[in-house]
Amino acid sequence: MANEIAINGTYRNVEISPYRHRVRYHELDAQGMVHPSHYMNWIENARLDLLEQIGLGLKQMENMEILMLMLSNSIEYYSPVKFDDTIVIGTKVTSYDGKQIEIAYRIFDEKTGENYAMAKSKHFFTNKSGIPISLGRIYPELDTTFFEMK
């Protein structure tokens, strides 16, 4: 999906690409399917990839003294993922209010489009001391970027 968003006060079109992952053998359980614990790692990687694509990587956030802490997460599983499958994780910002952000994830098969799982994660922003912050007050350009992605 193409989005026109403001980054550092400059508007530009950003093509948000989904995150891709090829399933490795060590991610399987005894039944030959991906163990559910790996899905959380995948959605975390997809979230970080989304932030990188909009120009706000984890290192940049740390340099700005912004932390994005987890409030909650959920995953609904539909179909098992197996070794050597290539999964795609589409991400979408579903809510944002300056203090919290929710991201939805669609995990599906690259070849068939079959849904493997749907997930959500909710995060809140703090400074390095762990005090909740409002991006709208401290970093209005980031606030605008997240609002435009919603």
Side-chain angles (χ1 to χ4, degrees), residues 6-104:
I7 297 174
N8 296 325
T10 304
Y11 282 88
R12 65 184 173 102
N13 281 327
V14 175
E15 181 72 30
I16 303 298
S17 300
Y19 177 77
R20 285 180 168 66
H21 175 78
R22 188 169 174 189
V23 176
R24 298 168 296 206
Y25 188 76
H26 76 270
E27 295 173 308
L28 306 180
D29 62 15
Q31 289 78 34
M33 296 177 278
V34 170
H35 189 274
S37 63
H38 292 289
Y39 288 73
M40 279 308 302
N41 292 329
W42 297 345
I43 68 169
E44 177 67 3
N45 290 339
R47 179 181 70 87
L48 295 175
D49 183 63
L50 172 67
L51 292 172
E52 283 282 341
Q53 290 185 62
I54 65 169
L56 186 63
L58 189 57
K59 194 67 172 167
Q60 182 181 357
M61 288 179 74
E62 287 178 353
N63 290 340
M64 298 168 79
E65 298 192 1
I66 301 171
L67 300 177
M68 197 172 166
L69 303 180
M70 179 85 66
L71 270 173
S72 65
N73 63 63
S74 65
I75 302 174
E76 291 183 30
Y77 304 94
Y78 302 124
S79 182
V81 181
K82 298 183 177 150
F83 173 66
D84 211 29
D85 286 343
T86 298
I87 61 157
V88 178
I89 304 176
T91 55
K92 181 180 179 183
V93 174
T94 55
S95 79
Y96 171 78
D97 67 4
K99 297 174 186 173
Q100 296 182 9
I101 188 169
E102 184 178 77
I103 302 170

